Amino acid sequence: MNVSGAVVRARGLVKTHGQGQSRVRAVDEVGLEVPQGQTLAVMGPSGCGKSTLLHLLGGLERPTGGEVWMAGRRIDTLSERALARMRRRSVGFVFQAFHLVEELSAAENVELPALLAGCSRRQARRRASLLLEQVGLSGRARHLPSQLSGGQRQRVAVARALANDPLVVLADEPTGNLDTAATLDVLRIFEDLRSAGQTLVIVTHDERVAATADRLVSMRDGMFVDDTWLTGSPTRGLGGLIGLEE
Ligand SMILES: Nc1ncnc2c1ncn2[C@@H]1O[C@H](COP(=O)(O)OP(=O)(O)OP(=O)(O)O)[C@@H](O)[C@H]1O
Ligand SMILES: [Mg+2]
Protein backbone atom coordinates (compact mmCIF):
# COMPACT_ATOMS: atom_id res chain seq x y z
CA MET A 1 0.00 0.00 0.00
CA ASN A 2 1.26 3.46 -0.83
CA VAL A 3 1.20 5.43 2.39
CA SER A 4 3.36 8.34 1.38
CA GLY A 5 0.47 10.74 2.02
CA ALA A 6 -0.52 9.35 5.41
CA VAL A 7 0.23 11.70 8.27
CA VAL A 8 -1.26 9.37 10.86
CA ARG A 9 -1.46 5.64 10.47
CA ALA A 10 -2.41 2.84 12.84
CA ARG A 11 -2.51 -0.91 12.38
CA GLY A 12 -4.15 -3.48 14.61
CA LEU A 13 -4.29 -0.98 17.46
CA VAL A 14 -5.30 -2.44 20.83
CA LYS A 15 -5.44 -0.78 24.22
CA THR A 16 -6.62 -2.57 27.33
CA HIS A 17 -7.19 -0.79 30.62
CA GLY A 18 -7.32 -2.41 34.05
CA GLN A 19 -6.74 -5.95 35.22
CA GLY A 20 -8.72 -9.17 35.62
CA GLN A 21 -12.49 -8.74 35.92
CA SER A 22 -12.36 -5.01 35.32
CA ARG A 23 -10.23 -5.34 32.22
CA VAL A 24 -11.58 -3.26 29.33
CA ARG A 25 -10.53 -3.38 25.71
CA ALA A 26 -10.89 0.36 25.12
CA VAL A 27 -9.49 0.11 21.59
CA ASP A 28 -9.89 -3.20 19.82
CA GLU A 29 -8.01 -3.84 16.58
CA VAL A 30 -8.38 -0.45 14.96
CA GLY A 31 -6.63 0.41 11.73
CA LEU A 32 -6.74 3.79 10.05
CA GLU A 33 -4.88 6.17 7.84
CA VAL A 34 -5.32 9.91 7.75
CA PRO A 35 -3.76 11.43 4.66
CA GLN A 36 -2.26 14.89 4.56
CA GLY A 37 -5.01 17.51 4.59
CA GLN A 38 -7.84 15.22 5.58
CA THR A 39 -10.31 15.93 8.36
CA LEU A 40 -11.44 12.72 10.01
CA ALA A 41 -14.31 12.80 12.49
CA VAL A 42 -14.82 10.01 15.02
CA MET A 43 -18.21 9.57 16.66
CA GLY A 44 -19.57 6.99 19.06
CA PRO A 45 -21.23 6.53 22.43
CA SER A 46 -19.59 7.42 25.71
CA GLY A 47 -16.95 4.89 26.71
CA CYS A 48 -16.47 3.41 23.22
CA GLY A 49 -12.79 4.35 23.18
CA LYS A 50 -12.60 7.64 21.29
CA SER A 51 -10.34 9.50 23.72
CA THR A 52 -8.14 6.46 24.15
CA LEU A 53 -7.75 6.22 20.38
CA LEU A 54 -6.78 9.89 20.15
CA HIS A 55 -4.23 9.48 22.94
CA LEU A 56 -2.68 6.49 21.17
CA LEU A 57 -2.50 8.34 17.85
CA GLY A 58 -0.78 11.33 19.46
CA GLY A 59 1.60 9.31 21.59
CA LEU A 60 0.07 10.31 24.93
CA GLU A 61 -0.61 6.65 25.74
CA ARG A 62 1.09 3.54 24.48
CA PRO A 63 -0.86 0.76 22.82
CA THR A 64 -1.10 -2.72 24.31
CA GLY A 65 -0.76 -4.03 20.77
CA GLY A 66 -0.44 -2.82 17.21
CA GLU A 67 1.48 0.01 15.62
CA VAL A 68 1.19 3.78 15.32
CA TRP A 69 2.99 5.80 12.68
CA MET A 70 3.37 9.56 12.37
CA ALA A 71 4.51 10.88 9.00
CA GLY A 72 6.04 7.53 8.12
CA ARG A 73 7.82 7.06 11.45
CA ARG A 74 6.77 4.41 13.90
CA ILE A 75 6.12 6.07 17.26
CA ASP A 76 4.79 3.39 19.62
CA THR A 77 8.28 1.95 20.04
CA LEU A 78 10.02 5.27 20.76
CA SER A 79 11.61 6.01 24.12
CA GLU A 80 9.68 8.34 26.44
CA ARG A 81 12.04 11.11 25.57
CA ALA A 82 11.78 10.67 21.82
CA LEU A 83 8.01 10.35 22.11
CA ALA A 84 7.76 13.61 24.06
CA ARG A 85 9.87 15.29 21.41
CA MET A 86 7.68 13.92 18.64
CA ARG A 87 4.58 15.28 20.43
CA ARG A 88 6.11 18.70 20.93
CA ARG A 89 7.06 18.95 17.29
CA SER A 90 4.31 17.19 15.43
CA VAL A 91 1.07 17.07 17.37
CA GLY A 92 -1.44 19.69 18.48
CA PHE A 93 -3.94 18.55 21.09
CA VAL A 94 -7.24 20.21 21.85
CA PHE A 95 -8.74 18.75 25.02
CA GLN A 96 -12.36 18.83 26.03
CA ALA A 97 -11.57 20.58 29.30
CA PHE A 98 -9.26 23.22 27.73
CA HIS A 99 -6.27 22.38 29.99
CA LEU A 100 -4.98 25.95 29.83
CA VAL A 101 -2.36 27.06 32.32
CA GLU A 102 -4.42 29.26 34.65
CA GLU A 103 -1.50 31.45 35.74
CA LEU A 104 -0.56 32.37 32.17
CA SER A 105 -2.31 34.85 29.89
CA ALA A 106 -4.01 33.74 26.68
CA ALA A 107 -0.95 34.83 24.68
CA GLU A 108 1.49 33.07 27.02
CA ASN A 109 -0.55 29.87 26.83
CA VAL A 110 -0.23 29.96 23.06
CA GLU A 111 3.48 30.88 23.14
CA LEU A 112 4.39 27.95 25.34
CA PRO A 113 4.20 25.11 22.76
CA ALA A 114 6.02 27.27 20.22
CA LEU A 115 8.85 27.77 22.72
CA LEU A 116 8.89 24.06 23.56
CA ALA A 117 9.08 23.26 19.86
CA GLY A 118 12.21 25.38 19.61
CA CYS A 119 11.01 28.82 18.50
CA SER A 120 12.82 31.88 19.82
CA ARG A 121 10.89 34.06 22.28
CA ARG A 122 10.32 36.62 19.58
CA GLN A 123 9.09 34.07 17.04
CA ALA A 124 6.82 32.50 19.65
CA ARG A 125 5.31 35.87 20.53
CA ARG A 126 4.73 36.70 16.90
CA ARG A 127 3.18 33.33 16.18
CA ALA A 128 0.91 33.55 19.25
CA SER A 129 -0.28 36.95 18.18
CA LEU A 130 -1.09 35.72 14.66
CA LEU A 131 -2.91 32.67 15.99
CA LEU A 132 -4.95 34.66 18.49
CA GLU A 133 -5.93 36.95 15.66
CA GLN A 134 -6.92 33.92 13.58
CA VAL A 135 -9.27 32.70 16.32
CA GLY A 136 -10.68 36.20 16.85
CA LEU A 137 -9.08 36.89 20.21
CA SER A 138 -6.52 39.61 19.55
CA GLY A 139 -8.27 41.76 22.11
CA ARG A 140 -7.97 39.13 24.83
CA ALA A 141 -4.26 38.29 24.61
CA ARG A 142 -3.47 39.53 28.12
CA HIS A 143 -6.47 37.96 29.79
CA LEU A 144 -6.07 35.00 32.10
CA PRO A 145 -8.16 31.91 31.30
CA SER A 146 -10.39 32.69 34.31
CA GLN A 147 -11.24 36.02 32.67
CA LEU A 148 -12.45 34.35 29.46
CA SER A 149 -15.71 32.66 28.53
CA GLY A 150 -15.80 28.91 27.81
CA GLY A 151 -15.87 29.54 24.06
CA GLN A 152 -12.98 31.98 24.26
CA ARG A 153 -10.96 29.54 26.33
CA GLN A 154 -11.55 26.83 23.78
CA ARG A 155 -10.44 29.17 21.01
CA VAL A 156 -7.23 29.85 22.96
CA ALA A 157 -6.84 26.07 23.27
CA VAL A 158 -7.17 25.71 19.49
CA ALA A 159 -4.62 28.50 18.92
CA ARG A 160 -2.30 26.76 21.38
CA ALA A 161 -2.69 23.45 19.53
CA LEU A 162 -1.50 25.21 16.38
CA ALA A 163 1.45 27.00 17.96
CA ASN A 164 4.00 24.32 17.04
CA ASP A 165 2.70 24.17 13.46
CA PRO A 166 1.73 20.52 14.00
CA LEU A 167 1.49 17.83 11.36
CA VAL A 168 -1.84 16.88 12.85
CA VAL A 169 -4.33 18.44 15.25
CA LEU A 170 -6.10 15.92 17.48
CA ALA A 171 -9.23 17.42 19.03
CA ASP A 172 -11.27 15.65 21.73
CA GLU A 173 -14.82 17.02 21.91
CA PRO A 174 -13.69 20.53 21.05
CA THR A 175 -17.24 21.84 21.40
CA GLY A 176 -18.32 19.51 24.21
CA ASN A 177 -18.77 22.20 26.84
CA LEU A 178 -19.87 25.04 24.61
CA ASP A 179 -23.19 26.70 23.88
CA THR A 180 -24.40 27.08 20.30
CA ALA A 181 -22.81 30.46 19.57
CA ALA A 182 -19.42 29.33 20.90
CA THR A 183 -19.75 26.02 19.05
CA LEU A 184 -20.26 27.90 15.79
CA ASP A 185 -17.16 30.02 16.45
CA VAL A 186 -15.03 26.93 17.02
CA LEU A 187 -16.62 25.23 14.04
CA ARG A 188 -15.66 28.11 11.79
CA ILE A 189 -12.07 27.83 12.96
CA PHE A 190 -11.98 24.12 12.15
CA GLU A 191 -13.46 24.85 8.73
CA ASP A 192 -10.71 27.43 8.13
CA LEU A 193 -8.08 24.93 9.21
CA ARG A 194 -9.48 22.31 6.89
CA SER A 195 -9.46 24.80 3.99
CA ALA A 196 -5.86 25.63 4.81
CA GLY A 197 -4.95 21.95 4.44
CA GLN A 198 -4.41 21.16 8.12
CA THR A 199 -4.69 17.44 8.89
CA LEU A 200 -7.29 16.97 11.63
CA VAL A 201 -8.78 14.19 13.72
CA ILE A 202 -11.83 15.35 15.66
CA VAL A 203 -13.71 13.30 18.22
CA THR A 204 -17.19 14.69 18.60
CA HIS A 205 -20.76 14.06 19.67
CA ASP A 206 -21.93 16.99 17.60
CA GLU A 207 -23.31 16.28 14.13
CA ARG A 208 -22.50 19.84 13.07
CA VAL A 209 -18.84 19.30 13.87
CA ALA A 210 -18.79 15.89 12.17
CA ALA A 211 -20.37 17.44 9.08
CA THR A 212 -17.25 19.57 8.52
CA ALA A 213 -15.13 16.43 8.09
CA ASP A 214 -14.09 14.68 4.90
CA ARG A 215 -14.68 11.32 6.44
CA LEU A 216 -16.65 10.06 9.42
CA VAL A 217 -15.98 6.83 11.31
CA SER A 218 -18.25 5.47 14.02
CA MET A 219 -16.89 3.56 16.98
CA ARG A 220 -18.59 0.97 19.20
CA ASP A 221 -16.87 -1.01 21.93
CA GLY A 222 -13.40 -0.03 20.76
CA MET A 223 -14.01 -0.91 17.12
CA PHE A 224 -14.81 1.01 13.95
CA VAL A 225 -18.24 -0.05 12.80
CA ASP A 226 -18.97 2.43 10.05
CA ASP A 227 -16.97 4.55 7.64
CA THR A 228 -18.52 7.28 5.53
CA TRP A 229 -17.03 9.72 3.07
CA LEU A 230 -18.73 13.08 3.49
CA THR A 231 -16.99 14.87 0.68
CA GLY A 232 -18.20 12.54 -2.03
CA SER A 233 -15.07 10.92 -3.26
CA PRO A 234 -11.91 10.16 -1.38
CA THR A 235 -10.16 13.35 -0.46
CA ARG A 236 -7.54 15.16 -2.44
CA GLY A 237 -6.64 12.28 -4.65
CA LEU A 238 -5.15 10.15 -1.92
CA GLY A 239 -8.14 8.55 -0.31
CA GLY A 240 -8.51 5.78 -2.86
CA LEU A 241 -5.39 4.28 -1.41
CA ILE A 242 -6.59 4.71 2.09
CA GLY A 243 -8.95 2.31 3.72
CA LEU A 244 -9.82 0.88 7.05
CA GLU A 245 -8.07 -2.33 7.69
CA GLU A 246 -10.14 -5.40 8.34
N1 LIG B 1 -7.13 4.95 32.70
C1 LIG B 1 -8.13 4.06 32.57
N2 LIG B 1 -8.23 2.99 33.39
C2 LIG B 1 -9.21 2.09 33.25
N3 LIG B 1 -10.16 2.16 32.30
C3 LIG B 1 -10.13 3.21 31.46
C4 LIG B 1 -9.12 4.22 31.55
N4 LIG B 1 -9.33 5.13 30.57
C5 LIG B 1 -10.44 4.71 29.91
N5 LIG B 1 -10.91 3.56 30.43
C6 LIG B 1 -12.06 2.80 29.94
O1 LIG B 1 -11.86 2.57 28.55
C7 LIG B 1 -13.08 2.74 27.83
C8 LIG B 1 -12.90 3.82 26.78
O2 LIG B 1 -12.72 5.08 27.42
P1 LIG B 1 -12.58 6.42 26.58
O3 LIG B 1 -12.29 7.50 27.54
O4 LIG B 1 -11.61 6.21 25.48
O5 LIG B 1 -14.05 6.56 25.97
P2 LIG B 1 -14.69 7.74 25.12
O6 LIG B 1 -15.27 7.14 23.91
O7 LIG B 1 -13.73 8.84 24.97
O8 LIG B 1 -15.90 8.22 26.09
P3 LIG B 1 -16.55 9.68 26.26
O9 LIG B 1 -17.40 9.93 25.05
O10 LIG B 1 -17.37 9.54 27.51
O11 LIG B 1 -15.43 10.67 26.44
C9 LIG B 1 -14.14 3.04 28.87
O12 LIG B 1 -14.80 1.85 29.18
C10 LIG B 1 -13.36 3.56 30.06
O13 LIG B 1 -14.03 3.27 31.25
MG1 LIG C 1 -13.64 10.80 25.67
Side-chain angles (χ1 to χ4, degrees):
M1 189 189 288
N2 180 350
V3 294
S4 56
V7 173
V8 181
R9 179 174 168 226
R11 288 168 71 110
L13 212 51
V14 174
K15 178 69 180 183
T16 55
H17 288 299
Q19 301 282 329
Q21 293 273 28
S22 60
R23 198 173 152 96
V24 178
R25 245 169 127 86
V27 172
D28 195 358
E29 294 284 341
V30 163
L32 90 163
E33 286 182 14
V34 188
Q36 169 75 51
Q38 187 182 79
T39 298
L40 174 73
V42 181
M43 292 187 93
S46 182
C48 74
K50 305 179 299 294
S51 295
T52 307
L53 174 65
L54 221 51
H55 295 170
L56 295 173
L57 295 180
L60 279 179
E61 288 184 62
R62 286 187 195 266
T64 313
E67 300 172 0
V68 186
W69 302 72
M70 179 71 65
R73 181 183 184 206
R74 188 159 172 194
I75 63 162
D76 57 285
T77 48
L78 293 176
S79 68
E80 279 305 321
R81 205 179 152 155
L83 196 60
R85 205 169 121 107
M86 184 288 300
R87 284 196 306 263
R88 285 198 301 271
R89 290 195 168 175
S90 306
V91 185
F93 277 102
V94 180
F95 298 97
Q96 178 167 4
F98 319 130
H99 283 301
L100 296 173
V101 182
E102 293 296 327
E103 295 76 21
L104 297 182
S105 70
E108 288 164 342
N109 265 283
V110 180
E111 283 168 29
L112 200 56
L115 290 170
L116 290 172
C119 283
S120 71
R121 202 160 272 284
R122 203 169 139 211
Q123 284 171 321
R125 205 166 290 162
R126 200 177 137 66
R127 181 144 182 89
S129 139
L130 284 172
L131 287 168
L132 284 177
E133 191 181 325
Q134 199 179 330
V135 299
L137 286 177
S138 292
R140 296 287 184 281
R142 289 171 183 279
H143 285 56
L144 294 171
S146 59
Q147 299 167 324
L148 298 171
S149 71
Q152 290 170 337
R153 267 181 261 176
Q154 193 58 311
R155 281 187 277 157
V156 174
V158 175
R160 180 186 55 180
L162 296 167
N164 58 346
D165 195 13
L167 288 172
V168 63
V169 173
L170 303 174
D172 196 352
E173 302 278 6
T175 60
N177 290 325
L178 306 182
D179 63 24
T180 297
T183 294
L184 294 179
D185 284 340
V186 170
L187 217 53
R188 256 194 300 276
I189 295 166
F190 279 108
E191 272 164 1
D192 288 348
L193 289 175
R194 179 170 169 265
S195 306
Q198 175 70 56
T199 309
L200 289 160
V201 181
I202 310 177
V203 163
T204 185
H205 281 293
D206 192 324
E207 308 272 350
R208 291 168 299 183
V209 178
T212 66
D214 298 299
R215 180 182 176 192
L216 168 62
V217 292
S218 302
M219 261 184 111
R220 295 273 184 291
D221 298 329
M223 289 178 264
F224 285 174
V225 292
D226 192 31
D227 182 12
T228 314
W229 288 98
L230 302 176
T231 42
S233 60
T235 316
R236 287 155 219 190
L238 284 165
L241 301 167
I242 310 298
L244 292 178
E245 286 165 353
E246 69 290 287

